[in-house]
Amino acid sequence: MKKAIEHVLSPKIVPGILQHESSSDLMTAGQERRDRNSGSVESQRKSLDDLLQFMEIVHTKLTTYGGDDIVVKQVIGQMARWMCALALNYMMFRRELCNFEKAIQIKHNVTQIQNWLNAKGLSDCRDHFEPLVQACHLLQSRKDPSNLDTLCGEMTSRLKPRQVVAILQHYDPSDEMEDGLSPEFLVQIQKKLNERAIANNDPIEDKDKLIMLGTYLPPFDTQPFSYSDFPLETLSLPSCLHMQSVCRLV
């Protein structure tokens, strides 16, 4: 995961999920103004395909070399966690990404990845993107005191209080459509989120958590062991893998 996937995957996440433009029809005049310094539109439109192509390569290699379903699911699931974490961490602090139009675009890109997961029989991995999906819903929702229960309810249940506040602090209203968010409103949001955390008995450390763990790699779950009747004594590993010690143990 660290040597073969992370260094290739990481540079594809922001362009593929946050900057990819599926159609010029999605861009308003205000969006074009925000994106005028973001690079070639044509390259942005190819970036999601590039990300999906790399996921396809990883999946094909795992299945071609006989990877068990549990291994494939954990590898692709880890990639999904990395994608959500790095995209959300980047999005929270970029004002040009925290607006209504970008939320539609980002949600569309995430949906394309989730559709790919469904097609591969990995629908359980879709859930790893839920924090990013909820961030998009937050940006698309009505933001006024009468809607506090919705903003701080189930719609943002997978986001930490500080993450919700950070997104709203960087929210950039659509041109001439709405006013900016007042400090008083943000205080109300923070208070409501703290009440939610207490009611849900959330850990105290979650209250101040802001950054998602980016490329953190949790231990793989080896409990669902898949037995193989392959004669291991006939197994030959390429010397370039430097796994001679493993071969001796086998």
Side-chain angles (χ1 to χ4, degrees):
M1 291 297 294
K2 287 288 186 180
K3 293 182 179 179
I5 293 179
E6 180 186 353
H7 72 282
V8 180
L9 175 66
S10 295
K12 300 179 185 293
I13 294 174
V14 170
I17 297 179
L18 302 182
Q19 297 173 348
H20 174 77
E21 308 257 345
S22 60
S23 170
S24 59
D25 294 338
L26 291 177
M27 294 184 66
T28 64
Q31 189 63 47
E32 290 171 350
R33 173 181 57 80
R34 292 186 183 96
D35 289 344
R36 63 182 181 274
N37 295 321
S38 62
S40 168
V41 172
E42 186 63 29
S43 65
Q44 290 176 9
R45 289 179 184 166
K46 294 180 179 179
S47 53
L48 178 58
D49 292 337
D50 190 32
L51 176 58
L52 289 172
Q53 183 181 36
F54 179 66
M55 294 178 68
E56 184 73 37
I57 290 173
V58 173
H59 183 270
T60 299
K61 287 188 176 182
L62 287 171
T63 54
T64 299
Y65 290 103
D68 293 325
D69 290 344
I70 186 62
V71 175
V72 175
K73 182 178 179 181
Q74 289 190 67
V75 170
I76 300 298
Q78 182 61 57
M79 292 174 67
R81 277 192 290 267
W82 283 350
M83 284 187 276
C84 179
L86 293 178
L88 184 62
N89 290 343
Y90 190 90
M91 175 185 179
M92 284 189 296
F93 302 104
R94 299 300 294 264
R95 187 174 177 82
E96 71 271 17
L97 296 176
C98 293
N99 59 72
F100 185 89
E101 297 92 345
K102 271 293 186 181
I104 295 175
Q105 174 187 308
I106 294 169
K107 177 65 164 55
H108 169 81
N109 297 340
V110 171
T111 299
Q112 295 302 305
I113 298 174
Q114 291 178 322
N115 289 342
W116 182 89
L117 292 171
N118 280 343
K120 298 300 181 183
L122 298 166
S123 56
D124 289 349
C125 297
R126 289 169 54 98
D127 186 66
H128 296 310
F129 287 99
E130 195 59 25
L132 188 57
V133 171
Q134 291 191 358
C136 293
H137 290 166
L138 176 63
L139 291 170
Q140 293 175 273
S141 298
R142 181 165 50 88
K143 302 165 189 63
D144 58 53
S146 64
N147 203 34
L148 277 179
D149 289 340
T150 299
L151 295 174
C152 302
E154 188 64 27
M155 187 183 72
T156 57
S157 60
R158 296 288 293 275
L159 293 171
K160 306 303 182 186
R162 287 193 63 193
Q163 293 172 341
V164 174
V165 173
I167 292 170
L168 293 178
Q169 283 177 330
H170 292 87
Y171 177 66
D172 186 12
S174 300
D175 296 342
E176 301 178 0
M177 290 182 63
E178 56 183 324
D179 297 326
L181 304 181
S182 67
E184 293 78 14
F185 178 70
L186 294 176
V187 169
Q188 288 180 293
I189 288 285
Q190 182 70 70
K191 181 179 178 181
K192 192 74 175 178
L193 290 170
N194 289 340
E195 292 174 356
R196 182 183 77 178
I198 294 173
N200 294 340
N201 293 318
D202 293 340
I204 297 177
E205 57 270 19
D206 280 1
K207 179 181 177 181
D208 296 322
K209 189 175 293 184
L210 177 61
I211 302 298
M212 291 188 70
L213 293 176
T215 53
Y216 167 72
L217 185 63
F220 273 69
D221 181 8
T222 59
Q223 290 303 314
F225 177 73
S226 297
Y227 172 77
S228 173
D229 57 3
F230 183 85
L232 295 180
E233 64 275 9
T234 66
L235 184 65
S236 176
L237 296 177
S239 59
C240 62
L241 295 179
H242 306 293
M243 296 184 69
Q244 286 80 4
S245 60
V246 176
C247 292
R248 285 197 295 271
L249 286 174
V250 172

